[in-house]
Amino acid sequence: AVASAILVDPQGFIDGAPPVPEPFARGGIRVLGSWPLRSLANQLAYADTDAFATDDAIRVGLLHCARPSWEDDSVSWLLGGGYSVSSLVPRLAPKPTAILWGRQDEILPPAEFAPKFVAALPGAAFRWVEECGHSPHLEQPDALAAAVRAFLDSGPDAVAGDDDVSEIVRLANRGALEKLADGVKELDAFLDTPILDPNERGGPLEPLKAFVRSEPETAQVAASVLALTFFFVLARGLVAVLG
């Protein structure tokens, strides 16, 4: 039986496997074991990609794919529906538990997944691992080792670190209208973000930047017309596809 637990950027609420038709299963598994996909995963796995998302890291990440039966076993897992453990997570609630999460995790974004663990394990001690992506044991090994030592010596509450999850929990508990309003704000902010910095001199777009600097009002009108044209064409395309 489990007496206590430390969950590190855990994946416990993604049940099953993607519904892949059998003829495409092997091809999909081969993509999972490909260098380009592992390279992309490397970019998502670390906060400090310059230091950690290296070719050597990709080679290490591919080691298990060299096992003779890896491809066959992975195909069997995929076609068998994967595994489902979300119903087991709440069973840890009575146990001393710590949840450690890399604040910059892009594999399992904490804003999406951490609130589920907080809700399922309300008595657990949640701690952020700073300047860290999905792999604290690689990117912040000293911080993780200190957390494990404190947990073993004195229990979950002794683990150091920021425990504030109020904002991600608030975002997760928004209603449909609130989410829509926030989405509109994000879209508005995105549309207000300049895609061209006219004060940055040189480059292939310098003639266009020079025009923006010399005729800012005309450039603004032109940009608005282009934006309206883009959305008009997009709307017509959607109508054609859905209609």
Side-chain angles (χ1 to χ4, degrees):
V2 175
S4 59
I6 301 175
L7 308 179
V8 183
D9 291 70
Q11 191 279 80
F13 286 96
I14 303 177
D15 288 337
V20 179
E22 186 172 352
F24 301 105
R26 191 167 298 275
I29 293 300
R30 287 175 179 169
V31 170
L32 286 178
S34 68
W35 185 279
L37 189 70
R38 293 288 168 170
S39 178
L40 174 62
N42 250 15
Q43 294 298 317
L44 296 174
Y46 301 107
D48 186 352
T49 54
D50 290 338
F52 293 95
T54 63
D55 285 355
D56 281 343
I58 298 175
R59 293 185 183 97
V60 171
L62 286 170
L63 284 175
H64 68 288
C65 303
R67 188 170 60 84
S69 59
W70 173 79
E71 186 176 301
D72 291 338
D73 291 345
S74 298
V75 170
S76 297
W77 173 85
L78 185 61
L79 295 179
Y83 51 78
S84 299
V85 298
S86 62
S87 62
L88 302 178
V89 175
R91 291 167 64 176
L92 290 173
K95 312 293 184 181
T97 302
I99 305 169
L100 308 177
W101 217 298
R103 195 181 287 273
Q104 287 79 33
D105 188 348
E106 294 186 29
I107 299 291
L108 294 173
E112 181 177 355
F113 293 101
K116 298 178 181 180
F117 283 90
V118 172
L121 305 171
F126 185 98
R127 298 292 186 269
W128 291 106
V129 183
E130 305 296 346
E131 301 299 323
C132 186
H134 183 62
S135 304
H137 58 292
L138 298 176
E139 197 164 14
Q140 296 293 348
D142 291 343
L144 180 60
V148 173
R149 184 73 270 168
F151 180 93
L152 294 176
D153 287 345
S154 307
D157 290 337
V159 176
D162 182 7
D163 64 352
D164 185 6
V165 292
S166 58
E167 180 61 14
I168 61 172
V169 170
R170 182 193 71 80
L171 292 174
N173 292 331
R174 291 174 299 171
L177 289 178
E178 192 176 359
K179 289 181 180 179
L180 178 61
D182 287 345
V184 171
K185 291 178 183 177
E186 291 174 4
L187 177 61
D188 185 56
F190 171 76
L191 293 176
D192 284 342
T193 302
I195 60 175
L196 184 71
D197 183 1
N199 296 317
E200 186 180 80
R201 308 273 174 160
L205 297 179
E206 175 55 30
L208 179 58
K209 290 186 281 188
F211 167 69
V212 174
R213 288 194 297 268
S214 62
E215 300 288 345
E217 294 183 359
T218 304
Q220 181 63 49
V221 172
S224 299
V225 171
L226 285 173
L228 289 173
T229 302
F230 168 78
F231 285 111
F232 175 76
V233 172
L234 178 63
R236 291 291 299 271
L238 289 174
V239 169
V241 171
L242 300 176

